[in-house]
Amino acid sequence: PVGGRLLGSTKKATALVALRNAAAPVLMPVALTALKALRPAKRRVEHRMMAGMSGLALHYEGGPLTPGPTADAVDGIRPGRRVGCSADDEKRHPGWRALCAELTDPRWTLLLFGDGERCAASVDEAYGRAVSVRVVAPGTAGGEGPYALADPDGALGRALGPGPGAYALIRPDGYLADRGPVTGFAGLAAVFDGFHLLPGGGSAGA
């Protein structure tokens, strides 16, 4: 289905290019004038076009690696959607900056929100070859503990929206796989098992 959507957007882009070549002298000035008169509409159109052309509008909601309902009323990025921010957000918010650096790791990324150092250590010991684990705590400028990921202004927590005492699991391709309340190590192990992640301690290069 994702491949189908990608091919569909490519066909539309090709059709627009062909239309521009054939009818640009007549239609383009009229369309651009209308969009310039409505600046909010112009920004929305530009955003949708760029997201479609870059592939960032693609999502995996309802796919086999996105369990459970995704169109819920919870705030934040939904499972199956890409975890990302603008360059401006990355510059302004330390939490996003730290996460962008973290996502260069080829492993799955587990974010624990709140006091989760003990659980993080257990996950690292058991699943460290497959999962990189970080504890996100708003208001912690420098971070505390070996797994800390600083989010002093809480921007990262608001964007992902799981709330204190919850987790967010991000796939290696940067899409949110799952999120929910932390029910201890056994609960997280069950989540990992659902994604066919095998236990194995040590670093990613072990």
Side-chain angles (χ1 to χ4, degrees):
V2 173
R5 288 196 295 271
L6 179 60
L7 289 174
S9 65
T10 303
K11 286 179 65 176
K12 289 176 184 176
T14 304
L16 284 172
V17 170
L19 175 65
R20 185 180 65 184
N21 291 340
V26 178
L27 298 179
M28 290 299 287
V30 176
L32 290 175
T33 300
L35 281 176
K36 286 179 180 177
L38 302 170
R39 288 187 178 275
K42 179 175 182 288
R43 284 195 294 270
R44 283 197 299 272
V45 169
E46 288 174 343
H47 179 77
R48 293 192 64 172
M49 287 180 65
M50 292 304 297
M53 291 174 65
S54 64
L56 298 180
L58 298 174
H59 64 83
Y60 297 89
E61 290 186 18
L65 285 181
T66 310
T70 55
D72 52 26
V74 180
D75 293 335
I77 299 170
R78 297 200 300 266
R81 295 279 177 170
R82 179 177 173 272
V83 177
C85 66
S86 67
D88 184 56
D89 282 340
E90 184 179 357
K91 184 184 299 183
R92 291 190 299 119
H93 301 296
W96 271 117
R97 205 157 49 243
L99 180 60
C100 288
E102 175 67 24
L103 291 180
T104 61
D105 190 311
R107 294 174 291 175
W108 294 61
T109 299
L110 175 68
L111 300 179
L112 301 175
F113 290 81
D115 183 15
E117 286 290 328
R118 181 176 299 180
C119 194
S122 298
V123 169
D124 188 32
E125 182 179 357
Y127 289 90
R129 292 178 66 182
V131 179
S132 172
V133 58
R134 293 290 178 264
V135 178
V136 182
T140 306
E144 298 176 0
Y147 303 105
L149 190 150
D151 185 29
D153 58 5
L156 184 59
R158 290 191 299 273
L160 289 171
Y167 72 89
L169 181 64
I170 304 172
R171 298 178 353 185
D173 61 0
Y175 282 74
L176 184 64
D178 196 15
R179 66 180 183 182
V182 176
T183 56
F185 172 75
L188 290 172
V191 172
F192 298 151
D193 185 61
F195 290 104
H196 310 291
L197 297 176
L198 301 177
S203 66

